Amino acid sequence: MAPAGPSAASPAISLARQPELTLRAILTGVVIGAILTPCNVYSGLKIGWAFNMAIAAVLLGFGFWQVNRALIGTRSWGILENNTNQMVASSAASNISGGLVAPLPALTLLTGQVLPWYWLIFWVAIVSILGVIVAAGLRNQMLLREKLSFPAGIATAETMTRIHDRGDDAVSRLKLLLSAAAVSGAIKAFHDLVIAMPRVGPGLKLPGSAAAPTLSNLGFTLDPSLLMLGFGAIIGLRAGLSILLGAVVAWGLLAPYVLAQGWAEPGAIEPQASWFAPLVTWLLWPGATLMVVASLVSFGISLLRLYGGKKKPKSSRWARGLGWRGHAFALSAIAVLIALTSAHLFGIGFWTAIGAVGVSYILAIVATRATGETGITPIGAMGQVTQLAYSILAPGQIGTNLMTANITGGAAGQCADLMQDLKTGMLIGATFRFQILAQFFGVIVGSVVGSIVYLLLIPDPRSMLITPEWPAPAVATWKAVAEVLTAGLASIPTGALPAMAVAAVLGVILALAEQMLPPRHARWLPSAPAIGLAFVVPAWNAISLFLGAAAAALIARIAPQWAERHVVGLAAGLVAGESLIGVATLALRALD
């Protein structure tokens, strides 16, 4: 997609006259961020992925103020105000990278430690602020010197340009998003509050002993959830096909073999019963190995490509920022705060935590550069590099292993999200300092809302996570890596080690091929992270993700222009509706 210059072509004077960091823009972003953050917490615990919510925030903010203008005559909602709104909202929604859906639950599963709500909020906030500060120091190199693309940032800028130039297009897209959310939410509410809709699948029994599973036992059923269909439409056909392939290999081939060998116990002997829980404790090992090895190989290649062009950036209103002294002071202050908090909460030594902040800075550069080139942020890989390092520096200390990695992964995730938004701001002529301030508002909102939603959804992580209801694949991966690095090979189930070796080789091959082949050839390769994900989520999730991806691809083939304008909004609506209703019904049950 070519970088469209929104009103990039507009005169700078006209942009300078537009309001930007206004109270209503900030409050709009706060409200939308509070609505979208639960969606990412929900999806993170379901499939281990979170999504950039900038375009959804742009559409919602524009639609709200267009309605207000028509009804009560409020002043026009400008493109720069909308950019402030999406900065706050997307920053809030991306805040789950601060640890809510991976290292913090893994810490609870391994040690039993649960942070009180106020410390949970504070920890997620300071880890995310570290990412904002790192990004503030990288924007000249990444955006002005290297001119990295940051695809999501370009897509957001192009969306804003279109809807502010043609309001009718925005209204139709918003109506579709809200309609999809209403349908998805209504089905979820009916399922949760009226009658649970069963998953439908064949009770066909596989050949073998009396305890041999049926296809339904292995998860090959159709799920009534529209959430996964929406996710599938967003992730694309390559990832959807890869997840389906992974499900066939993991649940269709490996799982029956594991049961026949006696390496895992069967579940309830009923045709429709799910055997996910007893099988995933074995399958997560090769699945996590595939995801981790492929991500680390890609990370290593990105490291070799780290430094780019030498051209000096031009001076501009957008480029003027904090200055190196201010940046150094802010980085030093947040490093000390993180180190003191780590010592108090997790017993991590002060200098150990300071070292983790230093490692975070380096790895955030690599992760953000990968995001700039591909649109994908390897948060897990960054955390696992830190886990590996601290398994040597602090052997046998699970808390140190996980939470130093939390610092790295959280900083990398927030840094990459901000750089996407800074790309958007550069294209539309936004002010750098205002964008950074908007990010801080988003961090606060995301930390508060995300932490509260997590505590409402998962009041008892040890009994609720890594189950059919909450597969939490990111938690399973971080937990598995910590167990191996601190407890050794004795923590691995019988028979899993050879499968992990095969997965590691496959991860290396796929990652190298993807990085080395020309893009026109690499796009036909299966995605190693997506295949690995299928090992740690139920097969019915993989089927739904594939169906959503296939439907989106079919629409794009039949009606490409309609698909370009509407598929993302439609998919975002399906995700938002179900996840928000899911959070609301669980909150109601908690109150009861």
Side-chain angles (χ1 to χ4, degrees), residues 197-204 214-225 244 247 251 271-275 468 538-545 547:
M197 294 177 285
R199 290 183 293 273
V200 179
L204 180 64
T214 65
L215 288 177
S216 292
N217 293 151
L218 298 174
F220 289 98
T221 58
L222 291 177
D223 189 50
S225 165
L244 184 64
W251 299 97
Q272 298 297 324
S274 170
W275 291 9
W540 61 79
N541 283 350
I543 293 170
S544 294
L545 288 166
L547 291 175

PDB file of all heavy atoms in Angstrom, residues 197-204 214-225 244 247 251 271-275 468 538-545 547:
ATOM      1  N   MET A 197     -25.236 -22.521  23.480  1.00  0.00           N
ATOM      2  CA  MET A 197     -25.323 -23.167  22.168  1.00  0.00           C
ATOM      3  C   MET A 197     -24.174 -24.159  22.023  1.00  0.00           C
ATOM      4  O   MET A 197     -23.001 -23.778  22.147  1.00  0.00           O
ATOM      5  CB  MET A 197     -25.275 -22.112  21.063  1.00  0.00           C
ATOM      6  CG  MET A 197     -26.491 -21.202  21.057  1.00  0.00           C
ATOM      7  SD  MET A 197     -26.377 -19.909  19.802  1.00  0.00           S
ATOM      8  CE  MET A 197     -25.186 -18.823  20.581  1.00  0.00           C
ATOM      9  N   PRO A 198     -24.473 -25.407  21.781  1.00  0.00           N
ATOM     10  CA  PRO A 198     -23.394 -26.415  21.728  1.00  0.00           C
ATOM     11  C   PRO A 198     -22.582 -26.295  20.443  1.00  0.00           C
ATOM     12  O   PRO A 198     -23.060 -25.809  19.415  1.00  0.00           O
ATOM     13  CB  PRO A 198     -24.162 -27.740  21.760  1.00  0.00           C
ATOM     14  CG  PRO A 198     -25.485 -27.412  21.131  1.00  0.00           C
ATOM     15  CD  PRO A 198     -25.797 -25.997  21.539  1.00  0.00           C
ATOM     16  N   ARG A 199     -21.343 -26.736  20.525  1.00  0.00           N
ATOM     17  CA  ARG A 199     -20.539 -26.899  19.314  1.00  0.00           C
ATOM     18  C   ARG A 199     -21.009 -28.149  18.598  1.00  0.00           C
ATOM     19  O   ARG A 199     -21.304 -29.169  19.225  1.00  0.00           O
ATOM     20  CB  ARG A 199     -19.055 -27.016  19.659  1.00  0.00           C
ATOM     21  CG  ARG A 199     -18.452 -25.704  20.161  1.00  0.00           C
ATOM     22  CD  ARG A 199     -16.967 -25.866  20.420  1.00  0.00           C
ATOM     23  NE  ARG A 199     -16.726 -26.765  21.543  1.00  0.00           N
ATOM     24  CZ  ARG A 199     -16.677 -26.384  22.813  1.00  0.00           C
ATOM     25  NH1 ARG A 199     -16.817 -25.112  23.123  1.00  0.00           N
ATOM     26  NH2 ARG A 199     -16.459 -27.260  23.766  1.00  0.00           N
ATOM     27  N   VAL A 200     -21.078 -28.090  17.284  1.00  0.00           N
ATOM     28  CA  VAL A 200     -21.610 -29.188  16.482  1.00  0.00           C
ATOM     29  C   VAL A 200     -20.455 -29.886  15.775  1.00  0.00           C
ATOM     30  O   VAL A 200     -19.642 -29.238  15.123  1.00  0.00           O
ATOM     31  CB  VAL A 200     -22.619 -28.664  15.440  1.00  0.00           C
ATOM     32  CG1 VAL A 200     -23.153 -29.818  14.606  1.00  0.00           C
ATOM     33  CG2 VAL A 200     -23.750 -27.917  16.126  1.00  0.00           C
ATOM     34  N   GLY A 201     -20.387 -31.192  15.934  1.00  0.00           N
ATOM     35  CA  GLY A 201     -19.310 -31.926  15.276  1.00  0.00           C
ATOM     36  C   GLY A 201     -19.636 -33.397  15.184  1.00  0.00           C
ATOM     37  O   GLY A 201     -20.532 -33.903  15.865  1.00  0.00           O
ATOM     38  N   PRO A 202     -18.902 -34.117  14.344  1.00  0.00           N
ATOM     39  CA  PRO A 202     -19.162 -35.557  14.162  1.00  0.00           C
ATOM     40  C   PRO A 202     -18.716 -36.361  15.372  1.00  0.00           C
ATOM     41  O   PRO A 202     -17.669 -36.105  15.954  1.00  0.00           O
ATOM     42  CB  PRO A 202     -18.325 -35.910  12.924  1.00  0.00           C
ATOM     43  CG  PRO A 202     -17.220 -34.893  12.916  1.00  0.00           C
ATOM     44  CD  PRO A 202     -17.800 -33.642  13.501  1.00  0.00           C
ATOM     45  N   GLY A 203     -19.523 -37.343  15.746  1.00  0.00           N
ATOM     46  CA  GLY A 203     -19.138 -38.257  16.813  1.00  0.00           C
ATOM     47  C   GLY A 203     -18.395 -39.461  16.265  1.00  0.00           C
ATOM     48  O   GLY A 203     -18.374 -40.512  16.906  1.00  0.00           O
ATOM     49  N   LEU A 204     -17.794 -39.298  15.070  1.00  0.00           N
ATOM     50  CA  LEU A 204     -17.093 -40.404  14.420  1.00  0.00           C
ATOM     51  C   LEU A 204     -15.908 -40.851  15.259  1.00  0.00           C
ATOM     52  O   LEU A 204     -15.029 -40.061  15.587  1.00  0.00           O
ATOM     53  CB  LEU A 204     -16.610 -39.953  13.031  1.00  0.00           C
ATOM     54  CG  LEU A 204     -15.840 -40.993  12.213  1.00  0.00           C
ATOM     55  CD1 LEU A 204     -16.733 -42.178  11.876  1.00  0.00           C
ATOM     56  CD2 LEU A 204     -15.285 -40.351  10.938  1.00  0.00           C
ATOM     57  N   THR A 214     -13.208 -39.665  19.571  1.00  0.00           N
ATOM     58  CA  THR A 214     -13.988 -39.263  18.404  1.00  0.00           C
ATOM     59  C   THR A 214     -13.405 -37.954  17.879  1.00  0.00           C
ATOM     60  O   THR A 214     -12.614 -37.292  18.555  1.00  0.00           O
ATOM     61  CB  THR A 214     -15.461 -39.048  18.769  1.00  0.00           C
ATOM     62  OG1 THR A 214     -15.556 -37.927  19.675  1.00  0.00           O
ATOM     63  CG2 THR A 214     -16.047 -40.280  19.450  1.00  0.00           C
ATOM     64  N   LEU A 215     -13.821 -37.554  16.667  1.00  0.00           N
ATOM     65  CA  LEU A 215     -13.369 -36.270  16.128  1.00  0.00           C
ATOM     66  C   LEU A 215     -13.816 -35.120  17.028  1.00  0.00           C
ATOM     67  O   LEU A 215     -13.102 -34.126  17.189  1.00  0.00           O
ATOM     68  CB  LEU A 215     -13.902 -36.082  14.707  1.00  0.00           C
ATOM     69  CG  LEU A 215     -13.251 -36.958  13.632  1.00  0.00           C
ATOM     70  CD1 LEU A 215     -13.922 -36.743  12.287  1.00  0.00           C
ATOM     71  CD2 LEU A 215     -11.755 -36.674  13.526  1.00  0.00           C
ATOM     72  N   SER A 216     -14.996 -35.253  17.629  1.00  0.00           N
ATOM     73  CA  SER A 216     -15.474 -34.214  18.547  1.00  0.00           C
ATOM     74  C   SER A 216     -14.619 -34.156  19.804  1.00  0.00           C
ATOM     75  O   SER A 216     -14.346 -33.070  20.328  1.00  0.00           O
ATOM     76  CB  SER A 216     -16.939 -34.466  18.919  1.00  0.00           C
ATOM     77  OG  SER A 216     -17.769 -34.280  17.786  1.00  0.00           O
ATOM     78  N   ASN A 217     -14.182 -35.313  20.318  1.00  0.00           N
ATOM     79  CA  ASN A 217     -13.285 -35.320  21.473  1.00  0.00           C
ATOM     80  C   ASN A 217     -12.021 -34.518  21.181  1.00  0.00           C
ATOM     81  O   ASN A 217     -11.483 -33.828  22.051  1.00  0.00           O
ATOM     82  CB  ASN A 217     -12.878 -36.748  21.831  1.00  0.00           C
ATOM     83  CG  ASN A 217     -14.015 -37.605  22.355  1.00  0.00           C
ATOM     84  OD1 ASN A 217     -14.009 -38.821  22.185  1.00  0.00           O
ATOM     85  ND2 ASN A 217     -15.007 -37.000  22.992  1.00  0.00           N
ATOM     86  N   LEU A 218     -11.539 -34.580  19.941  1.00  0.00           N
ATOM     87  CA  LEU A 218     -10.307 -33.891  19.552  1.00  0.00           C
ATOM     88  C   LEU A 218     -10.538 -32.431  19.190  1.00  0.00           C
ATOM     89  O   LEU A 218      -9.580 -31.716  18.892  1.00  0.00           O
ATOM     90  CB  LEU A 218      -9.655 -34.623  18.380  1.00  0.00           C
ATOM     91  CG  LEU A 218      -9.215 -36.062  18.662  1.00  0.00           C
ATOM     92  CD1 LEU A 218      -8.730 -36.731  17.383  1.00  0.00           C
ATOM     93  CD2 LEU A 218      -8.136 -36.107  19.735  1.00  0.00           C
ATOM     94  N   GLY A 219     -11.787 -32.004  19.172  1.00  0.00           N
ATOM     95  CA  GLY A 219     -12.074 -30.587  18.930  1.00  0.00           C
ATOM     96  C   GLY A 219     -12.489 -30.246  17.524  1.00  0.00           C
ATOM     97  O   GLY A 219     -12.657 -29.059  17.204  1.00  0.00           O
ATOM     98  N   PHE A 220     -12.684 -31.242  16.650  1.00  0.00           N
ATOM     99  CA  PHE A 220     -13.067 -30.949  15.273  1.00  0.00           C
ATOM    100  C   PHE A 220     -14.580 -30.763  15.197  1.00  0.00           C
ATOM    101  O   PHE A 220     -15.328 -31.626  14.747  1.00  0.00           O
ATOM    102  CB  PHE A 220     -12.576 -32.054  14.335  1.00  0.00           C
ATOM    103  CG  PHE A 220     -11.093 -32.039  14.159  1.00  0.00           C
ATOM    104  CD1 PHE A 220     -10.276 -32.892  14.886  1.00  0.00           C
ATOM    105  CD2 PHE A 220     -10.492 -31.133  13.295  1.00  0.00           C
ATOM    106  CE1 PHE A 220      -8.894 -32.862  14.740  1.00  0.00           C
ATOM    107  CE2 PHE A 220      -9.117 -31.093  13.145  1.00  0.00           C
ATOM    108  CZ  PHE A 220      -8.315 -31.947  13.866  1.00  0.00           C
ATOM    109  N   THR A 221     -14.996 -29.596  15.683  1.00  0.00           N
ATOM    110  CA  THR A 221     -16.392 -29.209  15.728  1.00  0.00           C
ATOM    111  C   THR A 221     -16.532 -27.780  15.210  1.00  0.00           C
ATOM    112  O   THR A 221     -15.550 -27.064  15.050  1.00  0.00           O
ATOM    113  CB  THR A 221     -16.936 -29.278  17.166  1.00  0.00           C
ATOM    114  OG1 THR A 221     -16.143 -28.412  17.998  1.00  0.00           O
ATOM    115  CG2 THR A 221     -16.877 -30.685  17.729  1.00  0.00           C
ATOM    116  N   LEU A 222     -17.774 -27.375  14.943  1.00  0.00           N
ATOM    117  CA  LEU A 222     -18.059 -25.995  14.547  1.00  0.00           C
ATOM    118  C   LEU A 222     -18.545 -25.232  15.765  1.00  0.00           C
ATOM    119  O   LEU A 222     -19.470 -25.667  16.457  1.00  0.00           O
ATOM    120  CB  LEU A 222     -19.117 -25.965  13.438  1.00  0.00           C
ATOM    121  CG  LEU A 222     -18.675 -26.513  12.067  1.00  0.00           C
ATOM    122  CD1 LEU A 222     -19.847 -26.491  11.087  1.00  0.00           C
ATOM    123  CD2 LEU A 222     -17.506 -25.713  11.519  1.00  0.00           C
ATOM    124  N   ASP A 223     -17.908 -24.091  16.024  1.00  0.00           N
ATOM    125  CA  ASP A 223     -18.212 -23.294  17.210  1.00  0.00           C
ATOM    126  C   ASP A 223     -19.170 -22.162  16.829  1.00  0.00           C
ATOM    127  O   ASP A 223     -18.984 -21.530  15.776  1.00  0.00           O
ATOM    128  CB  ASP A 223     -16.902 -22.719  17.765  1.00  0.00           C
ATOM    129  CG  ASP A 223     -17.079 -22.058  19.112  1.00  0.00           C
ATOM    130  OD1 ASP A 223     -17.671 -22.692  19.995  1.00  0.00           O
ATOM    131  OD2 ASP A 223     -16.623 -20.921  19.272  1.00  0.00           O
ATOM    132  N   PRO A 224     -20.190 -21.882  17.637  1.00  0.00           N
ATOM    133  CA  PRO A 224     -21.128 -20.805  17.290  1.00  0.00           C
ATOM    134  C   PRO A 224     -20.556 -19.400  17.438  1.00  0.00           C
ATOM    135  O   PRO A 224     -21.197 -18.420  17.068  1.00  0.00           O
ATOM    136  CB  PRO A 224     -22.286 -21.024  18.278  1.00  0.00           C
ATOM    137  CG  PRO A 224     -21.670 -21.722  19.445  1.00  0.00           C
ATOM    138  CD  PRO A 224     -20.597 -22.595  18.859  1.00  0.00           C
ATOM    139  N   SER A 225     -19.357 -19.260  17.970  1.00  0.00           N
ATOM    140  CA  SER A 225     -18.765 -17.949  18.195  1.00  0.00           C
ATOM    141  C   SER A 225     -18.444 -17.237  16.876  1.00  0.00           C
ATOM    142  O   SER A 225     -17.864 -17.826  15.965  1.00  0.00           O
ATOM    143  CB  SER A 225     -17.484 -18.097  19.022  1.00  0.00           C
ATOM    144  OG  SER A 225     -16.712 -16.930  18.970  1.00  0.00           O
ATOM    145  N   LEU A 244      -5.107 -23.928  10.301  1.00  0.00           N
ATOM    146  CA  LEU A 244      -5.849 -25.153   9.997  1.00  0.00           C
ATOM    147  C   LEU A 244      -4.889 -26.327   9.807  1.00  0.00           C
ATOM    148  O   LEU A 244      -5.133 -27.434  10.311  1.00  0.00           O
ATOM    149  CB  LEU A 244      -6.694 -24.945   8.743  1.00  0.00           C
ATOM    150  CG  LEU A 244      -7.601 -26.125   8.369  1.00  0.00           C
ATOM    151  CD1 LEU A 244      -8.658 -26.359   9.441  1.00  0.00           C
ATOM    152  CD2 LEU A 244      -8.267 -25.878   7.018  1.00  0.00           C
ATOM    153  N   ALA A 247      -3.723 -27.446  13.154  1.00  0.00           N
ATOM    154  CA  ALA A 247      -4.751 -28.193  13.889  1.00  0.00           C
ATOM    155  C   ALA A 247      -4.836 -29.639  13.406  1.00  0.00           C
ATOM    156  O   ALA A 247      -4.997 -30.572  14.206  1.00  0.00           O
ATOM    157  CB  ALA A 247      -6.106 -27.496  13.735  1.00  0.00           C
ATOM    158  N   TRP A 251      -3.984 -31.981  16.414  1.00  0.00           N
ATOM    159  CA  TRP A 251      -5.148 -32.637  17.008  1.00  0.00           C
ATOM    160  C   TRP A 251      -5.628 -33.833  16.197  1.00  0.00           C
ATOM    161  O   TRP A 251      -6.244 -34.752  16.743  1.00  0.00           O
ATOM    162  CB  TRP A 251      -6.271 -31.614  17.190  1.00  0.00           C
ATOM    163  CG  TRP A 251      -5.863 -30.502  18.095  1.00  0.00           C
ATOM    164  CD1 TRP A 251      -5.392 -29.276  17.732  1.00  0.00           C
ATOM    165  CD2 TRP A 251      -5.826 -30.537  19.519  1.00  0.00           C
ATOM    166  NE1 TRP A 251      -5.077 -28.529  18.840  1.00  0.00           N
ATOM    167  CE2 TRP A 251      -5.334 -29.275  19.955  1.00  0.00           C
ATOM    168  CE3 TRP A 251      -6.161 -31.496  20.478  1.00  0.00           C
ATOM    169  CZ2 TRP A 251      -5.167 -28.962  21.295  1.00  0.00           C
ATOM    170  CZ3 TRP A 251      -6.002 -31.179  21.818  1.00  0.00           C
ATOM    171  CH2 TRP A 251      -5.515 -29.939  22.217  1.00  0.00           C
ATOM    172  N   PRO A 271     -19.115 -39.141  23.340  1.00  0.00           N
ATOM    173  CA  PRO A 271     -18.815 -38.751  21.950  1.00  0.00           C
ATOM    174  C   PRO A 271     -18.542 -37.256  21.767  1.00  0.00           C
ATOM    175  O   PRO A 271     -17.734 -36.875  20.935  1.00  0.00           O
ATOM    176  CB  PRO A 271     -20.068 -39.189  21.187  1.00  0.00           C
ATOM    177  CG  PRO A 271     -20.668 -40.271  22.022  1.00  0.00           C
ATOM    178  CD  PRO A 271     -20.364 -39.923  23.437  1.00  0.00           C
ATOM    179  N   GLN A 272     -19.222 -36.389  22.533  1.00  0.00           N
ATOM    180  CA  GLN A 272     -19.091 -34.953  22.322  1.00  0.00           C
ATOM    181  C   GLN A 272     -18.199 -34.264  23.361  1.00  0.00           C
ATOM    182  O   GLN A 272     -18.015 -33.054  23.298  1.00  0.00           O
ATOM    183  CB  GLN A 272     -20.483 -34.292  22.352  1.00  0.00           C
ATOM    184  CG  GLN A 272     -21.421 -34.769  21.250  1.00  0.00           C
ATOM    185  CD  GLN A 272     -20.917 -34.429  19.848  1.00  0.00           C
ATOM    186  OE1 GLN A 272     -20.318 -33.371  19.630  1.00  0.00           O
ATOM    187  NE2 GLN A 272     -21.150 -35.311  18.897  1.00  0.00           N
ATOM    188  N   ALA A 273     -17.653 -34.996  24.309  1.00  0.00           N
ATOM    189  CA  ALA A 273     -16.821 -34.377  25.349  1.00  0.00           C
ATOM    190  C   ALA A 273     -15.502 -33.885  24.768  1.00  0.00           C
ATOM    191  O   ALA A 273     -14.931 -34.505  23.874  1.00  0.00           O
ATOM    192  CB  ALA A 273     -16.562 -35.378  26.469  1.00  0.00           C
ATOM    193  N   SER A 274     -15.024 -32.744  25.281  1.00  0.00           N
ATOM    194  CA  SER A 274     -13.741 -32.204  24.823  1.00  0.00           C
ATOM    195  C   SER A 274     -12.597 -32.805  25.637  1.00  0.00           C
ATOM    196  O   SER A 274     -12.642 -32.835  26.867  1.00  0.00           O
ATOM    197  CB  SER A 274     -13.731 -30.680  24.984  1.00  0.00           C
ATOM    198  OG  SER A 274     -12.426 -30.176  24.771  1.00  0.00           O
ATOM    199  N   TRP A 275     -11.553 -33.240  24.942  1.00  0.00           N
ATOM    200  CA  TRP A 275     -10.355 -33.768  25.597  1.00  0.00           C
ATOM    201  C   TRP A 275      -9.210 -32.748  25.524  1.00  0.00           C
ATOM    202  O   TRP A 275      -8.040 -33.114  25.584  1.00  0.00           O
ATOM    203  CB  TRP A 275      -9.929 -35.081  24.937  1.00  0.00           C
ATOM    204  CG  TRP A 275     -10.892 -36.216  25.190  1.00  0.00           C
ATOM    205  CD1 TRP A 275     -12.119 -36.140  25.771  1.00  0.00           C
ATOM    206  CD2 TRP A 275     -10.701 -37.602  24.860  1.00  0.00           C
ATOM    207  NE1 TRP A 275     -12.717 -37.369  25.824  1.00  0.00           N
ATOM    208  CE2 TRP A 275     -11.862 -38.294  25.274  1.00  0.00           C
ATOM    209  CE3 TRP A 275      -9.674 -38.309  24.257  1.00  0.00           C
ATOM    210  CZ2 TRP A 275     -12.024 -39.659  25.093  1.00  0.00           C
ATOM    211  CZ3 TRP A 275      -9.823 -39.683  24.078  1.00  0.00           C
ATOM    212  CH2 TRP A 275     -10.984 -40.350  24.502  1.00  0.00           C
ATOM    213  N   PRO A 468     -10.331 -25.324  27.825  1.00  0.00           N
ATOM    214  CA  PRO A 468     -11.076 -25.042  26.586  1.00  0.00           C
ATOM    215  C   PRO A 468     -11.706 -23.653  26.566  1.00  0.00           C
ATOM    216  O   PRO A 468     -11.775 -23.021  25.520  1.00  0.00           O
ATOM    217  CB  PRO A 468     -12.150 -26.136  26.568  1.00  0.00           C
ATOM    218  CG  PRO A 468     -11.571 -27.244  27.365  1.00  0.00           C
ATOM    219  CD  PRO A 468     -10.764 -26.587  28.442  1.00  0.00           C
ATOM    220  N   PRO A 538      -7.923 -24.859  21.025  1.00  0.00           N
ATOM    221  CA  PRO A 538      -8.779 -25.949  20.546  1.00  0.00           C
ATOM    222  C   PRO A 538      -8.910 -25.941  19.033  1.00  0.00           C
ATOM    223  O   PRO A 538      -8.868 -24.891  18.390  1.00  0.00           O
ATOM    224  CB  PRO A 538     -10.122 -25.638  21.229  1.00  0.00           C
ATOM    225  CG  PRO A 538      -9.784 -24.807  22.416  1.00  0.00           C
ATOM    226  CD  PRO A 538      -8.600 -23.984  22.008  1.00  0.00           C
ATOM    227  N   ALA A 539      -9.110 -27.115  18.460  1.00  0.00           N
ATOM    228  CA  ALA A 539      -9.219 -27.232  17.007  1.00  0.00           C
ATOM    229  C   ALA A 539     -10.402 -26.434  16.474  1.00  0.00           C
ATOM    230  O   ALA A 539     -10.358 -25.928  15.351  1.00  0.00           O
ATOM    231  CB  ALA A 539      -9.334 -28.709  16.617  1.00  0.00           C
ATOM    232  N   TRP A 540     -11.480 -26.312  17.284  1.00  0.00           N
ATOM    233  CA  TRP A 540     -12.618 -25.540  16.782  1.00  0.00           C
ATOM    234  C   TRP A 540     -12.257 -24.059  16.596  1.00  0.00           C
ATOM    235  O   TRP A 540     -12.808 -23.400  15.719  1.00  0.00           O
ATOM    236  CB  TRP A 540     -13.842 -25.711  17.673  1.00  0.00           C
ATOM    237  CG  TRP A 540     -13.692 -25.270  19.100  1.00  0.00           C
ATOM    238  CD1 TRP A 540     -13.746 -23.997  19.585  1.00  0.00           C
ATOM    239  CD2 TRP A 540     -13.509 -26.114  20.246  1.00  0.00           C
ATOM    240  NE1 TRP A 540     -13.583 -23.988  20.949  1.00  0.00           N
ATOM    241  CE2 TRP A 540     -13.450 -25.268  21.385  1.00  0.00           C
ATOM    242  CE3 TRP A 540     -13.394 -27.488  20.437  1.00  0.00           C
ATOM    243  CZ2 TRP A 540     -13.266 -25.759  22.685  1.00  0.00           C
ATOM    244  CZ3 TRP A 540     -13.222 -27.974  21.716  1.00  0.00           C
ATOM    245  CH2 TRP A 540     -13.150 -27.129  22.817  1.00  0.00           C
ATOM    246  N   ASN A 541     -11.333 -23.539  17.389  1.00  0.00           N
ATOM    247  CA  ASN A 541     -10.870 -22.173  17.155  1.00  0.00           C
ATOM    248  C   ASN A 541     -10.119 -22.074  15.837  1.00  0.00           C
ATOM    249  O   ASN A 541     -10.280 -21.112  15.083  1.00  0.00           O
ATOM    250  CB  ASN A 541      -9.948 -21.718  18.298  1.00  0.00           C
ATOM    251  CG  ASN A 541     -10.711 -21.349  19.555  1.00  0.00           C
ATOM    252  OD1 ASN A 541     -11.926 -21.242  19.542  1.00  0.00           O
ATOM    253  ND2 ASN A 541      -9.996 -21.174  20.637  1.00  0.00           N
ATOM    254  N   ALA A 542      -9.270 -23.050  15.549  1.00  0.00           N
ATOM    255  CA  ALA A 542      -8.517 -23.043  14.293  1.00  0.00           C
ATOM    256  C   ALA A 542      -9.460 -23.107  13.092  1.00  0.00           C
ATOM    257  O   ALA A 542      -9.253 -22.414  12.083  1.00  0.00           O
ATOM    258  CB  ALA A 542      -7.541 -24.215  14.272  1.00  0.00           C
ATOM    259  N   ILE A 543     -10.504 -23.926  13.201  1.00  0.00           N
ATOM    260  CA  ILE A 543     -11.471 -24.039  12.107  1.00  0.00           C
ATOM    261  C   ILE A 543     -12.173 -22.709  11.871  1.00  0.00           C
ATOM    262  O   ILE A 543     -12.322 -22.250  10.735  1.00  0.00           O
ATOM    263  CB  ILE A 543     -12.483 -25.165  12.403  1.00  0.00           C
ATOM    264  CG1 ILE A 543     -11.777 -26.524  12.387  1.00  0.00           C
ATOM    265  CG2 ILE A 543     -13.635 -25.140  11.400  1.00  0.00           C
ATOM    266  CD1 ILE A 543     -12.634 -27.669  12.907  1.00  0.00           C
ATOM    267  N   SER A 544     -12.601 -22.051  12.953  1.00  0.00           N
ATOM    268  CA  SER A 544     -13.285 -20.765  12.816  1.00  0.00           C
ATOM    269  C   SER A 544     -12.363 -19.694  12.244  1.00  0.00           C
ATOM    270  O   SER A 544     -12.774 -18.890  11.400  1.00  0.00           O
ATOM    271  CB  SER A 544     -13.823 -20.306  14.181  1.00  0.00           C
ATOM    272  OG  SER A 544     -14.833 -21.165  14.646  1.00  0.00           O
ATOM    273  N   LEU A 545     -11.118 -19.666  12.700  1.00  0.00           N
ATOM    274  CA  LEU A 545     -10.159 -18.703  12.162  1.00  0.00           C
ATOM    275  C   LEU A 545      -9.961 -18.912  10.665  1.00  0.00           C
ATOM    276  O   LEU A 545      -9.921 -17.952   9.885  1.00  0.00           O
ATOM    277  CB  LEU A 545      -8.833 -18.825  12.902  1.00  0.00           C
ATOM    278  CG  LEU A 545      -8.813 -18.300  14.344  1.00  0.00           C
ATOM    279  CD1 LEU A 545      -7.567 -18.794  15.070  1.00  0.00           C
ATOM    280  CD2 LEU A 545      -8.851 -16.778  14.363  1.00  0.00           C
ATOM    281  N   LEU A 547     -12.108 -20.314   8.546  1.00  0.00           N
ATOM    282  CA  LEU A 547     -13.332 -19.949   7.825  1.00  0.00           C
ATOM    283  C   LEU A 547     -13.446 -18.429   7.675  1.00  0.00           C
ATOM    284  O   LEU A 547     -13.853 -17.930   6.611  1.00  0.00           O
ATOM    285  CB  LEU A 547     -14.553 -20.505   8.557  1.00  0.00           C
ATOM    286  CG  LEU A 547     -14.707 -22.037   8.531  1.00  0.00           C
ATOM    287  CD1 LEU A 547     -15.894 -22.478   9.391  1.00  0.00           C
ATOM    288  CD2 LEU A 547     -14.858 -22.539   7.100  1.00  0.00           C
TER     289      LEU A 547
END
